[in-house]
Amino acid sequence: MESAKGEIEMSETKKRESGIELLKIIAILLIVFSHVLQTLSQKNGYIDYQDYLIDLSHSTTDPFYLTLSIMRYAGVFGNTLFFVCSAWFLTQVSAVKKDRIIHLVLDNFVISAAIALILLFAGMNLSHSLFVKSFFPTFFSMNWYVTCYVLFLFIVPFLNGILAHIDRKKHFWLMVITSFCYILLNAVYTFPYANNLMTWITIFIAVSYIKNYRMDLADNTKFNLILLFSSAIALLIILVAINYMGLKWNFFNDKIFYLNTNANPFLIVISFALFQLFRKIKVENRFVNYLSSLSLFIYLLHENTLVKTYLRPKVWQWIYVNVGYQYLAMEIIAYTLLLFFVSAIVAALYKVSIGRLSQLCAGKIGERVQYMKTKAENRLKL
């Protein structure tokens, strides 16, 4: 869900290398796939039918169901991939990107409000609370990634300023301490003082350290392949072990999603390794770059709160009643691809129409904000 001019951008460079853009497409596909599984397996208190659901949250002897439970981690994986890509380029940011933030907030508002009004006029019985919140999506964190990213964009230039004024040793220990508190500790125990923003700040500090001091590791293909496969295998073994222990001891029976968090250290390492491998793909493909540029809109459309609450369950209900789950694997893949491509088509239409107006408005508002900022600084004699 990344864009600079129409989506959260992950690169500050003018030339968009398709290796990184391809990784972004893979990330959004992983996210859509995970959300399709989430709809299939997570209870929804806003609808009056639940017969389409399957249970993926408990230990099972069925290898297929266990595979689906593990694949639910694809969403967190995709989110982490996106942020690692962003973090790598945001280490160059020295000022708050007002136009980018305003554009992002405007796109979030327009898409969310438009969907709410369309569903209302279509006669859908919507929750009054969700309907009202749909007109303030960033404030109410209706799309948590967008709200968290906006908050991060406000502080990232100050983080860069702080990191630029500490030496390598202090940077290293800051990375170690924050990683322990907000990733490792939070992964094994729900640390009461941790949240997604602190996790991202921690990842950013680590990415900044690698980029400033250990490019030898970032550029080492063998090292990154070892990181990738060792972390993936370790996570897989842990999840299979949790499932097995859940069959033996009731305490572990509902713990298969215990590590399904943005603080998952294995997924963070895998994301970093994959980014470095794709970063070395020095080619440019216009179609890949364009499809990648739709990432934010695809995310905002398919994961809109009203869409995921009312429309996505209807699709599973229709499949359950009319087709059944005899070919569930194929149905999940087909649903994922359909949701992705429909969202991409609508995103493309939005980008060349309302998205351009949103970009223009963001620029005008940004100019006004800059004027007010300068005036306030003069009055305060800053």
Side-chain angles (χ1 to χ4, degrees), residues 109-121 126 131 134-135 297 300-308 311 346:
F109 162 74
V110 171
I111 291 175
S112 180
I115 291 175
L117 291 174
I118 290 172
L119 294 183
L120 178 67
F121 288 127
L126 305 176
F131 180 79
S134 294
F135 290 86
F297 304 131
L300 291 179
L301 288 164
H302 94 277
E303 183 60 3
N304 171 268
T305 298
L306 297 180
V307 169
K308 71 180 182 181
L311 297 186
V346 177

Side-chain angles (χ1 to χ4, degrees), residues 160-175:
N160 284 329
I162 293 170
L163 296 176
H165 285 84
I166 61 177
D167 58 31
R168 178 174 179 172
K169 183 182 293 186
K170 289 179 180 178
H171 195 158
F172 172 80
W173 284 112
L174 178 63
M175 175 182 67

Side-chain angles (χ1 to χ4, degrees), residues 195-210:
N195 54 47
N196 290 326
L197 181 59
M198 289 306 305
T199 298
W200 280 6
I201 290 173
T202 300
I203 294 174
F204 183 81
I205 291 171
V207 167
S208 177
Y209 179 84
I210 295 295

Side-chain angles (χ1 to χ4, degrees), residues 97-283:
K97 301 291 185 179
K98 296 181 292 297
D99 289 3
R100 180 188 300 189
I101 293 173
I102 295 168
H103 192 188
L104 178 56
V105 172
L106 280 177
D107 283 331
N108 194 18
F109 162 74
V110 171
I111 291 175
S112 180
I115 291 175
L117 291 174
I118 290 172
L119 294 183
L120 178 67
F121 288 127
M124 188 162 290
N125 185 22
L126 305 176
S127 159
H128 294 168
S129 174
L130 293 183
F131 180 79
V132 172
K133 289 180 179 179
S134 294
F135 290 86
F136 307 93
T138 305
F139 180 80
F140 286 108
S141 194
M142 300 294 276
N143 299 98
W144 77 264
Y145 191 103
V146 173
T147 299
C148 195
Y149 199 87
V150 166
L151 295 176
F152 186 80
L153 286 177
F154 274 115
I155 66 174
V156 68
F158 304 102
L159 284 175
N160 284 329
I162 293 170
L163 296 176
H165 285 84
I166 61 177
D167 58 31
R168 178 174 179 172
K169 183 182 293 186
K170 289 179 180 178
H171 195 158
F172 172 80
W173 284 112
L174 178 63
M175 175 182 67
V176 171
I177 293 171
T178 53
S179 295
F180 174 77
C181 292
Y182 299 109
I183 294 179
L184 295 179
L185 188 59
N186 195 36
V188 298
Y189 172 71
T190 306
F191 193 40
Y193 307 106
N195 54 47
N196 290 326
L197 181 59
M198 289 306 305
T199 298
W200 280 6
I201 290 173
T202 300
I203 294 174
F204 183 81
I205 291 171
V207 167
S208 177
Y209 179 84
I210 295 295
K211 190 173 183 180
N212 288 326
Y213 303 112
R214 295 308 307 265
M215 282 300 295
D216 57 319
L217 296 181
D219 291 331
N220 189 321
T221 299
K222 182 179 179 180
F223 174 77
N224 286 298
L225 285 172
I226 292 173
L227 277 184
L228 173 63
F229 287 107
S230 61
S231 297
I233 292 171
L235 179 59
L236 180 61
I237 291 173
I238 290 173
L239 295 180
V240 171
I242 291 174
N243 182 74
Y244 175 78
M245 290 187 293
L247 297 173
K248 300 293 183 180
W249 300 287
N250 191 56
F251 175 78
F252 294 98
N253 189 39
D254 60 349
K255 298 297 189 294
I256 191 67
F257 295 144
Y258 190 77
L259 293 176
N260 193 24
T261 166
N262 291 304
N264 186 314
F266 300 101
L267 293 180
I268 292 172
V269 171
I270 293 170
S271 298
F272 176 82
L274 269 180
F275 172 76
Q276 299 307 332
L277 294 171
F278 275 77
R279 183 175 62 86
K280 301 183 75 173
I281 302 176
K282 303 296 183 180
V283 296

Side-chain angles (χ1 to χ4, degrees), residues 298-327:
I298 293 173
Y299 171 73
L300 291 179
L301 288 164
H302 94 277
E303 183 60 3
N304 171 268
T305 298
L306 297 180
V307 169
K308 71 180 182 181
T309 301
Y310 295 101
L311 297 186
R312 291 203 325 236
K314 282 185 177 294
V315 176
W316 273 125
Q317 178 71 6
W318 185 92
I319 293 173
Y320 175 75
V321 172
N322 295 278
V323 182
Y325 289 165
Q326 183 178 356
Y327 304 103

